[in-house]
């Protein structure tokens, strides 16, 4: 299956097929999470008919994997109608939700519709910590109840835990929650800036010490210890490869119709209210610019000896430093800590000092 998935990924990149599309159905939410990237604008969200038309356009473009997110997707009264339409178009549908509004009937309907997975954000096993993040008293208990209802209905569930300073010491307990529920679990130590460039959430990122502890957990980092210093080449061999899949076989459509290369890369390439999705995907100058970038074009990154430990996010590089071709300080932090843990002598000690904080401000590319 892994080989087939890899083949599908490479084939879709080569053909320029938007294999995976993430659509935010709404920016409204019944939680107020402190780290959230969403920005509510004074624009009307896409209507049911508009979204159905977009789904048909996306299907014609060749998309297979479809993610509905938000905001909170269950605040859309037409959610099940949209899921039904998506399934008729043969999408593999994946939902992201806080599960506060899940009932037994809703869980069973999701199973009947064949939704492939529901991801639920859980920040701690401790209600005081989780509810501090969401700013909603009782939200942990309600989210776990929703997860249990989905599991009982036969829906695949994954608990996602973004790691912050406030919950970095609780990830093992969250994993224990997932084990007891019999569901999947994942952790992400990357807290991103908001979609308008506001870097306030970045202050919540875990410390280098905590990051090192997380990366040394083999359950979270299965590749730990597989790479030794002697295996690190002095020159990158991937200079002609793409930095990430954004704009190549994946993209994002906002609740207001804006098409971006990725939810983390707020470059508006067009709006589905003004032109068809496939025209934006194929012809947008902004999309074509992103698609043209290769690793050799990235100053600093193209010569970095910690690159094999790096999962650089071009969108975060843009938001944090205003430079799509430059490094993301957060990604650098992760790569250098990973290299240090691996015992790499190829990483100069001077590079392992604390990195400068991100510069504030909204890059011109973020303007709509």
């Amino acid at each position: 299956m892994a080989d087939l998935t890899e083949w599908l990924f490479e084939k879709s990149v080569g053909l320029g097929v938007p294999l995976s599309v993430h659509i935010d159905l709404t920016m409204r939410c019944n939680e107020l999470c402190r780290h959230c990237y969403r920005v509510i604008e004074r624009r009307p969200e896409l209507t049911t008919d508009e979204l159905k038309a977009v789904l048909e356009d996306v299907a014609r473009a060749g998309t297979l994997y479809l993610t509905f997110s938000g905001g909170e997707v269950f605040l859309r009264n037409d959610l099940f109608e949209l899921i039904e339409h998506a399934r008729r178009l043969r999408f593999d549908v994946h939902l992201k939700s806080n599960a506060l509004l899940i009932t037994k009937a809703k869980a069973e309907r999701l199973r009947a519709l064949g939704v492939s997975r529901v991801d639920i954000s859980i920040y701690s096993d401790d209600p005081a910590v989780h509810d501090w993040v969401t700013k909603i008293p009782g939200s942990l208990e309600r989210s776990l109840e929703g997860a249990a209802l989905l599991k009982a209905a036969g829906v695949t569930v994954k608990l996602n835990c973004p790691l912050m300073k406030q919950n970095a010491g609780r990830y093992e307990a969250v994993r224990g929650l997932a084990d007891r529920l019999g569901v999947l679990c994942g952790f992400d130590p990357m807290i991103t800036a908001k979609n308008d460039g506001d870097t306030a959430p970045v202050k919540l990122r875990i410390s280098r010490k905590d990051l090192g502890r997380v990366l040394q957990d083999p359950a979270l980092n299965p590749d730990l210890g597989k790479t030794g210093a002697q295996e690190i080449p002095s020159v990158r061999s991937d200079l002609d490869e793409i930095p990430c899949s954004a704009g190549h076989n994946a993209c994002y459509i906002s609740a207001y119709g804006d098409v971006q290369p990725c939810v983390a890369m707020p470059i508006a390439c067009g709006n589905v209210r003004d032109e068809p999705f496939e025209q934006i995907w194929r012809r947008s100058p902004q999309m074509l610019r992103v698609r043209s970038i290769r690793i050799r074009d990235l100053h600093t990154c193209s010569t970095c000896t910690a690159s094999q430990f790096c999962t650089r996010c071009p969108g975060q590089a843009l938001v944090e430093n205003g430079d799509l071709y430059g490094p993301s300080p957060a990604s650098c932090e992760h790569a250098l800590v990973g290299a240090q843990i691996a015992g790499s002598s190829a990483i100069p000690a001077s590079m392992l000092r604390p990195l400068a904080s991100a510069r504030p401000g909204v890059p011109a590319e973020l303007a709509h």
Side-chain angles (χ1 to χ4, degrees):
M1 181 62 74
D3 290 342
L4 178 59
T5 301
E6 184 177 348
W7 175 87
L8 187 60
F9 174 86
E10 292 178 354
K11 193 74 171 178
S12 61
V13 168
L15 295 174
V17 173
L19 184 68
S20 176
V21 173
H22 173 157
I23 301 178
D24 276 345
L25 297 180
T26 181
M27 288 291 97
R28 294 173 291 126
C29 194
N30 48 2
E31 290 185 335
L32 301 166
C33 297
R34 298 173 188 270
H35 65 294
C36 186
Y37 65 80
R38 69 190 177 97
V39 176
I40 296 178
E41 302 180 33
R42 293 185 177 180
R43 290 192 285 166
E45 295 180 341
L46 295 172
T47 66
T48 305
D49 288 342
E50 286 175 326
L51 279 164
K52 285 184 175 180
V54 168
L55 292 178
E56 290 164 8
D57 286 347
V58 167
R60 281 191 289 270
T63 299
L64 173 60
Y65 301 109
L66 184 69
T67 297
F68 283 152
S69 184
E72 173 48 49
V73 292
F74 282 93
L75 290 176
R76 292 266 326 200
N77 294 328
D78 58 357
L79 176 62
F80 287 106
E81 183 179 352
L82 293 171
I83 295 173
E84 281 184 320
H85 194 68
R87 293 294 291 140
R88 279 197 295 271
L89 293 169
R90 301 185 181 277
F91 289 114
D92 179 283
V93 179
H94 168 200
L95 302 183
K96 293 189 177 183
S97 170
N98 56 39
L100 295 186
L101 298 176
I102 293 292
T103 63
K104 181 180 179 182
K106 289 177 180 176
E108 290 175 348
R109 191 167 182 196
L110 291 178
R111 176 66 183 90
L113 287 171
V115 168
S116 65
R117 195 176 81 200
V118 178
D119 284 10
I120 302 171
S121 293
I122 298 294
Y123 305 104
S124 175
D125 66 314
D126 183 348
V129 176
H130 178 95
D131 297 356
W132 177 86
V133 175
T134 66
K135 301 184 185 179
I136 302 297
S139 56
L140 174 61
E141 182 180 1
R142 291 168 61 193
S143 289
L144 292 177
E145 287 175 355
L149 288 170
L150 289 165
K151 170 67 176 176
V155 177
T156 299
V157 175
K158 182 178 181 182
L159 304 187
N160 280 332
C161 183
L163 296 178
M164 295 170 260
K165 292 176 182 176
Q166 292 75 14
N167 70 347
R170 305 299 303 178
Y171 75 86
E172 291 176 328
V174 173
R175 187 163 53 199
L177 277 179
D179 289 342
R180 288 193 293 277
L181 283 169
V183 300
L184 303 171
C185 190
F187 301 89
D188 187 358
M190 180 69 77
I191 300 299
T192 65
K194 290 182 177 290
N195 276 356
D196 62 356
D198 180 356
T199 58
V202 171
K203 297 176 183 177
L204 298 171
R205 285 177 179 163
I206 63 177
S207 67
R208 174 171 282 187
K209 179 180 178 181
D210 282 334
L211 177 61
R213 184 167 59 86
V214 169
L215 293 181
Q216 288 184 80
D217 185 336
L220 302 185
N221 186 10
D223 293 329
L224 182 67
K226 292 182 180 179
T227 302
Q230 72 277 7
E231 299 175 51
I232 299 178
S234 58
V235 178
R236 295 187 65 163
S237 60
D238 58 353
L239 294 177
D240 292 321
E241 294 182 11
I242 61 175
C244 79
S245 61
H248 291 273
N249 70 348
C251 73
Y252 165 74
I253 302 174
S254 80
Y256 309 107
D258 296 312
V259 179
Q260 301 174 186
C262 172
V263 66
M265 191 186 295
I267 299 175
C269 301
N271 190 289
V272 294
R273 282 179 165 140
D274 301 324
E275 53 189 323
F277 168 80
E278 191 160 14
Q279 184 170 322
I280 298 171
W281 174 257
R282 298 288 178 192
R283 302 178 185 175
S284 162
Q286 295 89 345
M287 193 73 77
L288 293 175
R289 176 195 172 197
V290 169
R291 202 170 289 152
S292 71
I293 300 172
R294 296 296 181 270
I295 288 175
R296 67 171 62 255
D297 301 319
L298 308 177
H299 58 80
T300 307
C301 301
S302 60
T303 57
C304 179
T305 51
S307 61
Q308 70 183 92
F309 302 97
C310 185
T311 54
R312 174 187 179 273
C313 174
Q316 281 304 295
L318 173 63
V319 172
E320 292 177 337
N321 275 337
D323 186 358
L324 191 59
Y325 298 84
S328 155
S331 297
C332 292
E333 185 91 24
H334 289 212
L336 297 176
V337 171
Q340 190 174 34
I341 290 170
S344 172
S345 60
I347 310 301
S350 61
M351 293 183 69
L352 297 173
R353 66 184 185 278
L355 297 173
S357 60
R359 297 199 303 269
V362 181
E365 286 94 335
L366 272 62
H368 291 296

